[in-house]
Amino acid sequence: MVSAPPSKSFLHREIIAAMLSGHEFPIDAEEASEDILATHEAAKTILSHINCIWIGSLKSNAVLTSDKLVLDCKESGSTLRFMLPIVAALGLEAEFKLAGRLRERPMQQLINQLEKHGASINRSETGNITISTSARHITPGEFSFMNPESSQYISGLLFALPLLNEGSTLYVHDNLESSSYVMITLDVLGKYGIKVDYTHTDREWTFNIPGNQKYTYSYSAPEGDWSNAAFLLALGALGNNPIRVCSLPLPSMQGDMKILDFLEDFGVTVNRYPDIMDVNAGTVDVFPCRKLMAITRIDASGCPDLVPIIALVASLANGITVINNAERLRYKESDRLTSTCSALKNLGANITETKDGLIIEGIDALRGSYEGIGYGDHRIIMMLAVSSIISEGIVKIHDSAAVAKSYPNFFEILNKLGLADNIKLA
């Protein structure tokens, strides 16, 4: 039995909501992922630049230090995309330091909206982003996106706009992929006393956000992380022994809970045990399956983080699995479609990359091996680690430390489960 780690999605949002209520959200720094540490440190920096507890309403007597904030986002897209509109709403001047592929990931749609409302945003030659406002804060009003590049833009504005002195309306036209993450944001906002009214259809969302709202501190332990648990659950499906994963919310707003449906569609036996006293204390059992069946088509738009581990399972499933609507994976820590395809080909999988996904024709065994980088991508590294229990050759990963971006204890868990014999880390 193994416990799922705390949800990154909830932790980012809890840290930010706590900051906006004037509090520091407690985390276990030794077990926290690099992304969570980036958000936590940024939140502490913002709090240290506020000389009076006024967060939640822009009072005229608020006193801010004049120093420019330096916020180190490392490679965390959530930290950058959540904090940028918040800093703009607070009227602070800040430099956001970016590392790795975060410098290349999409930001322009969000920047355009903030600049329309009074923000001045510049990129340095090193890729860092500097923001200031001509007034005390950005102006309220109408914010509009057509097919946004990331749902994180929407979440960032939902945190920021309640701070303004008048109401705002946020429109999303055409498509909002990964909308489950926006629902998580709304859930956390509600816990902290923030009111947002919204309506939506398949092609349009409208959020009405009153101004002059005040965040009220409300601590609760974050639920387990379905994105990271997916790799543990796949171990049960592909290995020789069942696996039990506990501390998982049943049900959950996290889109990556979809891993259970996918495993069942592949033919895996999955038992779910909700806890009637605590929704976050659910337990899932997954049993080994030797007759995996392909899933004809998988729409990954709502659960893109699952693609690497789904592709690994599909590589041993009888038939052809087509994964599509995953083009945004090209802008993650690696081009995740290319890196997934390349890694699995090395292991012997019959896999082809398409513009927005992957085509995998299942085979009876992975007879290859892998030695090389994990593309600096935590989810590719975890997928390679899981592949080691079924590949005939050794899996040797040269940059395994990058797993700390989301799951720093992952390899310790594999060791405890006795599943790390075929992995070599460098």
Side-chain angles (χ1 to χ4, degrees):
M1 183 173 71
V2 60
S3 294
S7 166
K8 266 207 329 170
S9 298
F10 273 92
L11 272 175
H12 280 298
R13 291 160 173 81
E14 292 277 1
I15 290 167
I16 289 169
M19 173 195 75
L20 293 173
S21 71
H23 292 77
E24 183 178 331
F25 190 86
I27 65 169
D28 185 335
E30 292 186 0
E31 294 188 2
S33 68
E34 290 179 353
D35 281 7
I36 292 302
L37 289 173
T39 292
H40 194 253
E41 288 303 310
K44 287 169 61 178
T45 299
I46 291 173
L47 281 176
S48 73
H49 278 66
I50 298 171
N51 286 339
C52 60
I53 301 301
W54 61 283
I55 296 290
S57 59
L58 296 177
K59 297 179 179 177
S60 59
N61 63 347
V63 179
L64 303 177
T65 64
S66 60
D67 296 340
K68 180 173 72 175
L69 286 73
V70 177
L71 305 177
D72 188 354
C73 299
K74 303 185 187 300
E75 287 193 80
S76 173
S78 297
T79 307
L80 173 61
R81 291 164 175 167
F82 293 167
M83 291 298 193
L84 187 67
I86 290 169
V87 166
L90 295 176
L92 303 175
E93 182 179 359
E95 178 183 6
F96 290 81
K97 296 176 64 177
L98 317 183
R101 276 178 57 92
L102 183 55
R103 300 185 186 101
E104 306 167 24
R105 294 173 70 177
M107 278 296 296
Q108 197 57 48
Q109 288 179 334
L110 179 58
I111 289 172
N112 290 345
Q113 290 299 307
L114 294 175
E115 288 183 331
K116 285 180 181 179
H117 290 264
S120 176
I121 301 174
N122 297 292
R123 283 184 181 266
S124 69
E125 292 182 359
T126 61
N128 292 344
I129 293 176
T130 301
I131 181 170
S132 60
T133 54
S134 56
R136 204 176 53 199
H137 54 80
I138 55 170
T139 58
E142 182 178 305
F143 296 76
S144 183
F145 292 86
M146 178 70 72
N147 191 23
E149 298 154 333
S150 172
S151 67
Q152 292 170 349
Y153 299 167
I154 311 307
S155 289
L157 285 166
L158 288 174
F159 278 117
L161 297 181
L163 301 170
L164 302 181
N165 52 13
E166 294 181 9
S168 298
T169 305
L170 173 56
Y171 296 102
V172 181
H173 306 286
D174 189 22
N175 191 26
L176 178 56
E177 291 191 4
S178 300
S179 59
S180 62
Y181 291 99
V182 174
M183 300 309 294
I184 292 172
T185 301
L186 292 170
D187 180 69
V188 172
L189 287 171
K191 283 170 50 182
Y192 282 77
I194 299 301
K195 180 178 176 58
V196 176
D197 295 319
Y198 70 94
T199 60
H200 73 91
T201 65
D202 289 343
R203 310 303 296 179
E204 185 167 274
W205 291 68
T206 301
F207 302 89
N208 291 306
I209 306 117
N212 282 320
Q213 296 195 62
K214 183 175 180 59
Y215 282 77
T216 303
Y217 185 62
S218 176
Y219 173 81
S220 62
E223 59 184 50
D225 192 315
W226 279 101
S227 303
N228 285 326
F231 295 91
L232 303 175
L233 297 168
L235 288 168
L238 299 176
N240 295 318
N241 298 296
I243 191 167
R244 169 168 286 186
V245 182
C246 59
S247 301
L248 284 171
L250 289 169
S252 174
M253 288 185 291
Q254 296 178 55
D256 287 348
M257 183 183 170
K258 186 73 175 174
I259 186 61
L260 298 184
D261 295 334
F262 289 141
L263 289 176
E264 289 175 330
D265 289 344
F266 279 123
V268 178
T269 298
V270 175
N271 291 340
R272 316 176 193 208
Y273 305 102
D275 189 301
I276 61 173
M277 300 298 293
D278 181 358
V279 69
N280 292 338
T283 300
V284 175
D285 289 342
V286 177
F287 296 85
C289 181
R290 294 295 173 261
K291 293 183 179 180
L292 294 165
M293 300 299 297
I295 302 175
T296 304
R297 188 169 298 276
I298 293 175
D299 181 348
S301 60
C303 52
D305 286 341
L306 295 181
V307 167
I309 197 62
I310 291 171
L312 174 62
V313 177
S315 69
L316 294 177
N318 183 38
I320 297 175
T321 298
V322 177
I323 300 172
N324 59 10
N325 291 329
E327 190 170 6
R328 296 183 189 197
L329 286 177
R330 298 197 182 280
Y331 305 103
K332 297 291 186 176
E333 287 77 4
S334 68
D335 178 336
R336 206 169 275 169
L337 293 178
T338 296
S339 53
T340 297
C341 186
S342 177
L344 288 177
K345 274 186 176 179
N346 275 281
L347 289 164
N350 187 352
I351 181 170
T352 303
E353 180 182 344
T354 66
K355 180 182 178 182
D356 72 337
L358 299 165
I359 301 172
I360 307 111
E361 184 172 356
I363 55 179
D364 63 340
L366 294 181
R367 296 185 171 86
S369 61
Y370 186 91
E371 179 173 358
I373 61 170
Y375 300 89
D377 190 327
H378 52 126
R379 303 212 185 274
I380 300 301
I381 291 168
M382 287 190 281
M383 182 269 287
L384 284 167
V386 174
S387 76
S388 70
I389 69 170
I390 52 173
S391 64
E392 294 184 359
I394 293 292
V395 172
K396 187 172 184 179
I397 309 170
H398 286 281
D399 60 348
S400 59
V403 77
K405 189 174 194 299
S406 67
Y407 199 168
N409 300 330
F410 180 69
F411 287 106
E412 294 178 25
I413 297 297
L414 291 191
N415 281 323
K416 289 178 181 178
L417 293 171
L419 298 174
D421 292 344
N422 210 32
I423 310 172
K424 305 296 180 183
L425 305 180

